[in-house]
Amino acid sequence: MTSRCVPFALANDIFEIDPAFYSAIGVTAVLVDLDNTLDPYYINEPTDRTLVWKKKMKEAGLRIAILSNNSGTRVHRYAKALGVECRCFMKKPFPGPLKKFLEEEKLAPGQAVLIGDQIMTDVKAGNGAGVRVILTEPLDPKEPPWTKFNRIFDRPKRKKIKERHLAPNWKEIKP
Ligand SMILES: [Mg+2]
């Protein structure tokens, strides 16, 4: 397994991560995947859990941006309802659009963290752009066919990362 598939850290889900953790590791911008990271793919409006999370993150002074591979309409609608910025068609695992986003926003890769539930898209894109990635477990087993396909590769890699302790749980990182 190449190091491009190994995240910076693991988390059960995005909601358990203490906002203070991001500042402690020098992060000002938290870039998040949408589907199965913030909410399942069949959800069009942010759920209460996600709204509470966003409020806490904003109170901690963190910038949040949704970076999705998905098409515009749903992502824009969801992001608007959540009150955060978003970018669509991110082409993860390709790091190009992420690098472009960082450049445009004048963010150094070290100032950002990417949170996502897929090794084959989120982890690879983040590592390719030099951004630390926190890999979460997918929120819901119900997934679209293209994600199901990615899971064929995701599952054994994830297992190996955990068994060999190739990435720590975020709680184990003491900045
Ligand atoms: Mg996802």
Side-chain angles (χ1 to χ4, degrees):
M1 186 167 63
T2 67
S3 57
R4 263 199 81 181
C5 294
V6 179
F8 163 67
L10 301 168
N12 200 35
D13 57 53
I14 194 168
F15 311 106
E16 69 170 21
I17 305 169
D18 184 354
F21 174 72
Y22 300 112
S23 325
I25 60 165
V27 162
T28 58
V30 179
L31 315 178
V32 294
D33 168 57
L34 171 53
D35 292 333
N36 250 346
T37 300
L38 285 176
D39 272 308
Y41 84 100
Y42 52 85
I43 298 281
N44 287 322
E45 299 279 331
T47 49
D48 286 347
R49 174 170 68 170
T50 310
L51 289 164
V52 169
W53 167 82
K54 180 251 167 178
K55 190 168 176 278
K56 279 197 239 164
M57 294 287 284
K58 286 284 174 188
E59 279 167 4
L62 292 157
R63 177 176 176 183
I64 305 165
I66 293 176
L67 303 185
S68 179
N69 269 3
N70 242 318
S71 58
T73 319
R74 173 173 162 270
V75 180
H76 280 290
R77 191 173 137 196
Y78 182 98
K80 200 178 168 202
L82 186 60
V84 302
E85 57 190 301
C86 72
R87 299 287 170 100
C88 307
F89 303 112
M90 286 303 288
K91 301 194 180 116
K92 296 174 283 185
F94 302 105
L98 175 56
K99 282 184 184 167
K100 193 166 166 246
F101 171 82
L102 296 171
E103 272 167 31
E104 281 171 5
E105 301 301 321
K106 305 209 171 8
L107 285 165
Q111 287 177 283
V113 74
L114 177 66
I115 307 185
D117 69 297
Q118 284 200 67
I119 292 173
M120 302 312 290
T121 55
D122 304 308
V123 175
K124 284 189 164 186
N127 282 342
V131 171
R132 288 171 285 182
V133 183
I134 301 179
L135 176 67
T136 64
E137 296 299 318
L139 291 175
D140 196 308
K142 201 173 158 193
E143 294 190 303
W146 61 90
T147 308
K148 279 204 171 98
F149 176 75
N150 277 342
R151 292 292 175 211
I152 297 168
F153 307 96
D154 182 295
R155 245 177 264 114
K157 289 182 194 300
R158 197 179 284 259
K159 193 165 170 253
K160 202 163 154 187
I161 289 164
K162 288 178 190 169
E163 279 174 0
R164 300 195 184 170
H165 206 78
L166 298 177
N169 188 283
W170 71 273
K171 289 174 190 168
E172 294 168 343
I173 297 169
K174 301 282 174 245

